[in-house]
Amino acid sequence: MADTASLSVDVPALTSLLDGRYSGVRNLVRKNLAEYAGVVQDQVEMTDTDFRERVLEVIKHMADTGATGLGFPTEHGGGGDVGASIAAFETLAFGDLSVLVKAGVQFGLFGGAVLQLGTERHHDAYLRDLINADLLGCFAMTESGHGSNVQHLGTVATYDVATREFVITTTTESARKDYIGNAAAHASHAAVFAVLEIGGESQGVHAFVVPIRGEDGEALPGVRIGDDGPKMGLRGVDNGRLWFDGVRVPRENLLNRYADVSEAGVYSSDIENPDRRFFTMLGTLVQGRVSVGGAGISASKVAITIAVKYALKRRQFGAPGTDEEELLLDYGLHQRRLLPRLAKSYALHFAQEVLVEQLHAATNDPDYPERDRRALESRAAGTKALGTWHATDTIQEGREACGGAGYLAVNRFAALKADTDVFTTFEGDNHVLLQLVAKGLLTDYSTNFEELDQFGVARFVADLAVETVMERTAVHKILERLRDVLPSSDDGQDESTLLDADYQLAMLRWREEHVLSGVARRLKRGIDGGTDPVQVFSQVQDHVIHAARCHMERLVLEAFTEKLEAHPDDPNAETLAAVRDLFGLSTIEADRAWWMEHGRLSSARSKSITREVNLLCRRLRPVADELVDGFGVPVEMIRAEMLEQGY
């Protein structure tokens, strides 16, 4: 049972723990946000056209401070620190999200494509100018007809041997580049993804730097540019469409880190397998998913900060016969609505921290093991999915918890809700990403990694994945071993282990392995029975997604636990342990039906977990204000009129 002793929070120490090694970078971005705090209100008052220009102004100012070039090589004017770059991006998400996304397009997507897919000639030609925001670009991958299935894009780049040029063509209307940030108004160049054809033979999707506007801002010959028009949010981002009608670019404009074409039209690559080449190319762009996931977590922090602070000001009802009304956060239901989401924000923060550390290591080590790179890509996909779904959920619940006041644009929830909604499909639809996570689990990050889509998964599963997962997990042994440390359904009255981190982790590990082995068995049973592998995979997709969620939730709890173990003498250790317990138990509670179905929870123990969650909420309520202050959201970004009113 939760300790009833009072908790305390050292806010500066908590912020320092959360900021970690990049506190200087985060504070620089906080300073920038405070200086341009008015942009949060500008997005409410300005027209779309004016707000786009306002956002561009902020981007250029930030480039002048050096905050946007941290991840680029020092020899080209950058900071040479990928971890610092992501820390800056995460902190930027405390502010207006149009600024965040436009920065992400310019420095993360366009800049990342040039850096990661290009070679020295491209770095010398473009990096310094794009870091300084003197050269504005866009990332032209998605088409109207193809989003997640990048291998089947309709844009074609044909090599013309006679002129030593690539000819870029939009082959059908559905092949137009669509939803492209920076395209509608500001970009002069695009990183265009197209199917490379040489002598009538396709070599798969490659990336090219294509100029799209002249110095006068007008579209270049053969390029047609359209505006996607009004959107749900992100009004300061100029999303547009691009068509290419025989646009010619020099041979040198192919981003040729992984493949090249000679003057004579001879194609070459050090990676012979075309599928592996394609996914190696996409894998270098994993920083985008890491960044979007971190931004979603940061937006959640803003929402929960505003909601908790409002709940500590707003009073409603009271005891009969008294004139004093109760604070919203004193109500058990209100605690239940906000505090588990606060705990999850902390948990996801530490999970994101682990991911960023791994990405930083992989970026700086050319010999980083391939198996670990695959694990990193999987973890990035899963963390992005959980982080952005958490943003959607927390912002909505925070808005509702603030009543009608939360619906007013002046109180930020409107912008947070509208601007983050697209995060769940940025850098890959979350459901598709969780299928990637599950595929990685089933194949044990095999070197035979094939297509991301369900067809590739099904073919692989047909001849290898089931055996691999059984060998990797030795499922029956793991389940028996975990069963020894887990209470059975007959142990419902024993509450002593609920606040034991080992118990919580064992529960999540047991569920993960059980669900994963279940997916493997269903796949094998269907395939052995003669059912088409693609149909079998389609039939078990719900099970696949559940397996991926189970895996990611276990990783998140592990990250939180390991952070506490690494800082046993932290002045906030006891309070953070209670936050961790709230996350762990509320995660188990949310899927308690599954554990009850599989004999790991009795109804009595399930009720005990619910009681414990309630006790933890009550215990954390007195320090809720300090816990949200620990996030370090600049006061200028908590622009909520309702917090300035007296109640």
Side-chain angles (χ1 to χ4, degrees), residues 309-317 324-332 334 621 647:
K309 288 187 174 295
Y310 183 70
L312 290 168
K313 287 180 64 70
R314 183 72 158 89
R315 293 182 180 274
Q316 188 82 289
F317 304 111
E324 185 72 9
E325 293 184 304
E326 292 287 326
L327 288 170
L328 291 180
L329 202 56
D330 286 336
Y331 288 102
H334 216 79
R621 181 261 175 262
Y647 291 98

Side-chain angles (χ1 to χ4, degrees), residues 326-356:
E326 292 287 326
L327 288 170
L328 291 180
L329 202 56
D330 286 336
Y331 288 102
L333 179 59
H334 216 79
Q335 294 170 11
R336 264 288 191 157
R337 298 175 71 182
L338 298 182
L339 298 188
R341 290 176 170 85
L342 172 59
K344 189 171 184 178
S345 298
Y346 268 89
L348 286 168
H349 173 97
F350 294 125
Q352 173 76 3
E353 186 177 75
V354 172
L355 177 61
V356 172

